[in-house]
Amino acid sequence: MKKELILDGHKLPWHKDRIEKWLKGERIAPITIDCALTRKCNYKCIYCYGQLQANDEKRMTRDVIFKFLDDAAEIGVKGISFVSDGESTCSPHLYESIKHGKKNGLDIALGTNGALLKKEKLEEMLPDLTYLRFNFSAGEPKRYAEIMGCREEDFYQVTDIIKECIKIKNQKNLDVTIGLQMVLVPRFGDQIIPLAKLGRKLGVDYTVIKHCSDDEKGSLGINYSQYFEQDLINKIEEAESLSTDNYLLRAKWSKILSGGKRKYKQCYGPPFILQMSGSGLVAPCGMFFNRQYKKYHIGNIVEQSFKEIWQSDRYWEVMDYISSDKFDARTMCGTLCLQHKVNEYLDVLKRGKIELESPKGMYPKHINFI
């Protein structure tokens, strides 16, 4: 049976056993952890949230990373995505880390701009990945360089890498999903159609168009009302019409058209889907990586094992605080976070508006990346 690729939503209902434990007040391991292996990056994307996430840098050594992956597998984490506030291809330990995580029984994924991926390593890396996502926010070389803060040559270098990945996947009949992600800032709307066409031409499995997150101060200057402009909506709909049986283009409409607003107050998502900084910092989510949010910082895997951090009272004090009446996600953190869709679901579940039931419908791909 062909599995559904969910690009606008979440997969938490397929982990009913962990939801039941959480509802009973039990301490649960995250299902998914998003993390980076470094805070470094070779690009300077105009829309990068990483510039708002500066914290005390620690060195993520091979031993630190491997111990974290060991701990994650031991406590019951199911998926690790190397996606966070840094470009993990800048780490010399990336390829070993992917292999080590996979050997531990973890599903492993990688999000990257792709420019530093080594061609000679792709054949070894791809079989160990559940998905490989290229952050690719323009379909034309000149605009790609302007928007993503790099050289025009990088456009050609990365598309060459993508072609090689597709070639290896097809030759070896690999199960890995390969896709493109566009972070759509409204003024970059001219790149929607070129990127949609490029994705189809390259032969990737999907292209997803997503919103741009901003912090509660609006530091990146995202005007969410501009997502409602008819011309932009028309372009996204035209892009979606380019989907084929083998190529899916989808927009995260639920977030794009939300106006950057939340309906829920408490944050319930991080115990299920945790984020960690490339500095080793453990915090509930990426919105709280910056030093100014130190009250939400839990520990650092460079200084203490992840298992000890997860078992600590501090970990659960922070999780309990953000899920309490003392916290209001509408005003106390940034917009449209990674946990947003999970939060929406858990909020109505917690308030008794829906029943916890086994999900119906097609079984989704990437089940451990909720």
Side-chain angles (χ1 to χ4, degrees):
M1 180 176 69
K2 188 174 181 181
K3 294 182 180 179
E4 182 184 12
L5 185 60
I6 297 176
L7 296 176
D8 184 16
H10 66 93
K11 310 177 195 82
L12 193 55
W14 281 269
H15 299 273
K16 185 181 175 185
D17 57 336
R18 210 158 295 198
I19 301 173
E20 287 172 336
K21 290 179 180 178
W22 175 77
L23 287 171
K24 292 174 184 175
E26 295 182 28
R27 294 182 173 187
I28 60 167
I31 298 163
T32 309
I33 297 179
D34 269 24
C35 60
L37 300 179
T38 178
R39 286 209 74 246
K40 295 177 182 176
C41 188
N42 53 318
Y43 277 23
K44 293 183 179 178
C45 299
I46 289 173
Y47 53 78
C48 181
Y49 200 93
Q51 62 189 287
L52 307 178
Q53 296 173 306
N55 57 76
D56 296 332
E57 186 90 19
K58 307 287 183 185
R59 185 163 172 263
M60 294 274 278
T61 65
R62 180 181 182 275
D63 288 346
V64 167
I65 297 164
F66 276 32
K67 182 64 171 73
F68 159 67
L69 294 169
D70 292 343
D71 284 350
E74 183 183 340
I75 70 170
V77 175
K78 297 184 178 183
I80 301 286
S81 50
F82 293 129
V83 180
S84 189
D85 59 343
E87 172 56 55
S88 288
T89 59
C90 291
S91 168
H93 312 299
L94 172 67
Y95 303 102
E96 284 185 296
S97 299
I98 291 171
K99 185 165 289 296
H100 189 77
K102 184 67 174 179
K103 282 183 178 178
N104 276 352
L106 296 163
D107 274 351
I108 304 292
L110 173 64
T112 175
N113 59 49
L116 297 180
L117 281 173
K118 298 176 182 177
K119 268 192 176 182
E120 66 273 17
K121 289 286 190 179
L122 298 179
E123 203 162 333
E124 171 191 338
M125 177 186 76
L126 287 170
D128 290 332
L129 290 177
T130 300
Y131 74 78
L132 171 59
R133 189 187 73 213
F134 289 88
N135 301 318
F136 208 103
S137 292
E140 297 168 334
K142 188 172 185 295
R143 291 291 275 142
Y144 177 91
E146 292 169 354
I147 292 168
M148 300 194 69
C150 60
R151 309 166 304 164
E152 282 190 46
E153 302 95 276
D154 290 323
F155 176 92
Y156 299 103
Q157 182 175 330
V158 176
T159 52
D160 202 36
I161 288 284
I162 295 171
K163 289 175 187 176
E164 186 65 19
C165 289
I166 300 297
K167 179 183 173 184
I168 293 168
K169 172 182 172 169
N170 291 337
Q171 284 179 344
K172 294 187 172 293
N173 195 28
L174 300 177
D175 197 39
V176 59
T177 303
I178 299 173
L180 308 181
Q181 175 178 274
M182 177 188 205
V183 177
L184 176 62
V185 175
R187 68 180 185 274
F188 304 153
D190 63 296
Q191 290 304 295
I192 293 171
I193 303 302
L195 180 60
K197 291 179 177 178
L198 177 64
R200 192 165 74 171
K201 181 180 177 182
L202 290 172
V204 297
D205 296 301
Y206 71 89
T207 296
V208 62
I209 300 171
K210 62 166 288 190
H211 65 290
C212 182
S213 293
D214 206 343
D215 66 9
E216 66 271 34
K217 301 172 186 174
S219 300
L220 295 179
I222 306 302
N223 183 345
Y224 286 97
S225 66
Q226 291 178 345
Y227 284 115
F228 291 87
E229 293 178 359
Q230 193 59 49
D231 182 53
L232 198 69
I233 291 172
N234 291 343
K235 285 177 180 174
I236 298 173
E237 290 176 341
E238 181 184 348
E240 288 190 327
S241 74
L242 295 173
S243 297
T244 68
D245 289 343
N246 299 312
Y247 172 60
L248 178 65
L249 195 142
R250 283 289 179 269
K252 290 183 180 286
W253 287 110
S254 67
K255 288 187 176 182
I256 288 172
L257 299 181
S258 71
K261 304 296 183 184
R262 290 183 169 95
K263 294 180 180 178
Y264 55 87
K265 293 175 62 178
Q266 280 72 51
C267 180
Y268 298 125
F272 295 91
I273 178 168
L274 183 71
Q275 286 177 279
M276 290 168 45
S277 170
S279 69
L281 172 69
V282 178
C285 69
M287 299 291 181
F288 292 144
F289 286 168
N290 193 287
R291 297 182 189 94
Q292 66 179 304
Y293 303 111
K294 200 165 184 178
K295 67 182 286 186
Y296 303 106
H297 293 180
I298 299 166
N300 193 298
I301 62 170
V302 176
E303 301 168 332
Q304 187 180 14
S305 78
F306 178 70
K307 182 180 178 182
E308 290 172 338
I309 292 171
W310 174 72
Q311 290 175 329
S312 69
D313 290 339
R314 172 64 181 166
Y315 183 97
W316 294 103
E317 284 168 4
V318 173
M319 295 301 178
D320 289 345
Y321 179 78
I322 62 175
S323 64
S324 74
D325 291 336
K326 297 175 183 177
F327 185 80
D328 190 339
R330 297 171 301 179
T331 58
M332 296 172 71
C333 58
T335 59
L336 302 177
C337 62
L338 177 71
Q339 294 85 356
H340 178 66
K341 299 303 293 184
V342 169
N343 272 329
E344 286 185 329
Y345 171 76
L346 291 173
D347 178 64
V348 294
L349 180 65
K350 191 84 169 176
R351 290 190 290 111
K353 300 294 184 181
I354 59 171
E355 296 291 328
L356 179 59
E357 298 177 341
S358 296
K360 298 177 177 66
M362 193 177 290
Y363 193 82
K365 292 175 75 70
H366 316 155
I367 194 73
N368 293 326
F369 298 98
I370 61 169

